[in-house]
Amino acid sequence: MRKIGIVGIGHVGSTVAHLIISQGLADELILVDKNTAKRDSEVLDFRDAASLLPHHVHIASGTPADLADADVVISALGHIDLIEPGGDRFTELRANTPEVQQVGQALHRARFNGVLIVISNPVDVITGIYQQVTGLPANQVFGTGTYLDTARLKRSLGDALNVDPRSIQGYMLGEHGDSQFAAWSTVRVLGQKADELVTNYHLDLDAVANDARVGGFTVFSGKKYTNFAIAHAAVSLAQLVLSDAHNEAIVSHYDARFAGYISTPAIIGRSGVVANFELTLTADEQRALQQSANAIAEKTAAYL
């Protein structure tokens, strides 16, 4: 019996729900939102589609108390209306923090002991708050982090080289925000390293990395929200948990080197982050990762 809960049924949460239902990734799906009319309407809309779908998923409205036995809970609550195009995800922090604390406390009271996947921004900080408030082991609470930004890097690089982004290896690391960076030493495509791509294809690495970094705001500027890519990222990670995949992923998880949450490599399985491993980074990339951790701490202090 695979049970998933989604907290926050806005643009992102409803898209996450749609993917889970259409792909039959859960046997039971509980939707939670403080706007109960919106929540119940989404549930009814999904149930109206039930006879047209190839998979059966039991869908219901609920509260955090109904998530006690959930395998995975996905936090998609947020206030994206507070972010201006080209702005900073930290502008959501003050508004999201009390709601995250309320949800986290409710999950704690319910004795939820599954895996909590966090989308809510600023995701590195919010994920840490969830872990503290729920009291869950750190490995059971992680955020989407630069898992999505890595996908954006692959899209941008694929466009530049006219190749399928799925054939590209490499990572964006650090904050899911302005201080993230492309770890070019990890990139492999067409059998070549980044420096070879510069020579052979006249590739502008800075332009590609910046395109990935601002990709979310590029989408936001036209739609005033983002939903599809981040929803696919969250659902992809939920699948790794439910299938106990032990798959490599770059997610925002607790990294003892920085005493906080930041996107570095992890192995994802049934209990969340089941193992860590370190990439062999250049000295410049190591400095960039430390600077990104510092940026998260500095902005947290400034906004809270």
Side-chain angles (χ1 to χ4, degrees):
M1 183 75 171
R2 301 161 300 166
K3 182 174 180 178
I4 299 177
I6 304 172
V7 180
I9 313 300
H11 294 298
V12 175
S14 60
T15 306
V16 169
H18 177 253
L19 292 173
I20 291 169
I21 294 164
S22 62
Q23 296 178 30
L25 301 180
D27 300 297
E28 184 176 3
L29 179 64
I30 305 297
L31 305 189
V32 177
D33 197 288
K34 64 180 182 180
N35 183 340
T36 55
K38 172 72 159 56
R39 174 200 66 187
D40 294 347
S41 293
E42 294 286 13
V43 169
L44 182 58
D45 202 4
F46 284 129
R47 291 181 63 196
D48 283 343
S51 67
L52 308 172
L53 296 172
H55 309 285
H56 172 75
V57 180
H58 177 72
I59 309 157
S61 297
T63 69
D66 299 307
L67 305 179
D69 60 342
D71 299 291
V72 174
V73 169
I74 298 172
S75 172
L77 64 83
H79 293 82
I80 197 168
D81 54 296
L82 298 177
I83 301 180
E84 294 297 327
D88 194 312
R89 296 170 178 88
F90 267 79
T91 55
E92 287 191 76
L93 183 56
R94 290 194 185 101
N96 286 348
T97 294
E99 294 184 12
V100 165
Q101 291 173 329
Q102 184 179 22
V103 171
Q105 289 163 0
L107 290 173
H108 177 72
R109 289 193 298 270
R111 297 185 179 180
F112 167 70
N113 194 36
V115 173
L116 178 56
I117 300 175
V118 182
I119 298 172
S120 306
N121 277 317
V123 68
D124 304 295
V125 181
I126 293 296
T127 306
I129 294 173
Y130 263 125
Q131 190 275 322
Q132 293 171 3
V133 176
T134 60
L136 288 166
N139 65 284
Q140 290 175 225
V141 185
F142 65 86
T144 49
T146 61
Y147 190 69
L148 172 55
D149 303 299
T150 292
R152 288 175 173 147
L153 177 68
K154 293 178 180 180
R155 183 267 305 159
S156 181
L157 191 53
D159 287 348
L161 298 173
N162 194 30
V163 298
D164 189 323
R166 293 173 298 179
S167 65
I168 298 170
Q169 296 177 317
Y171 303 109
M172 295 289 283
L173 300 178
E175 175 196 8
H176 177 56
D178 294 342
S179 66
Q180 67 181 259
F181 65 98
W184 288 113
S185 67
T186 69
V187 171
R188 299 291 185 276
V189 57
L190 301 173
Q192 300 174 57
K193 299 178 182 179
D195 56 349
E196 294 172 309
L197 295 173
V198 171
T199 301
N200 297 331
Y201 294 91
H202 308 291
L203 191 67
D204 185 338
L205 298 184
D206 290 339
V208 171
N210 187 64
D211 186 28
R213 185 182 302 107
V214 304
F217 288 108
T218 303
V219 173
F220 179 86
S221 66
K223 293 172 56 170
K224 305 308 176 188
Y225 62 91
T226 64
N227 61 322
F228 293 121
I230 184 57
H232 275 280
V235 170
S236 173
L237 290 169
Q239 286 180 280
L240 297 182
V241 172
L242 291 172
S243 62
D244 194 24
H246 286 236
N247 196 69
E248 174 185 332
I250 300 294
V251 296
S252 182
H253 66 291
Y254 185 80
D255 192 316
R257 293 174 298 172
F258 308 108
Y261 277 77
I262 191 169
S263 287
T264 52
I267 302 297
I268 305 298
R270 185 70 186 186
S271 59
V273 177
V274 298
N276 296 298
F277 69 95
E278 291 189 24
L279 295 169
T280 302
L281 301 177
T282 67
D284 285 344
E285 290 167 347
Q286 291 282 10
R287 281 191 292 271
L289 188 58
Q290 181 63 63
Q291 289 167 359
S292 191
N294 295 344
I296 294 170
E298 290 166 4
K299 285 191 281 189
T300 302
Y303 278 90
L304 280 184

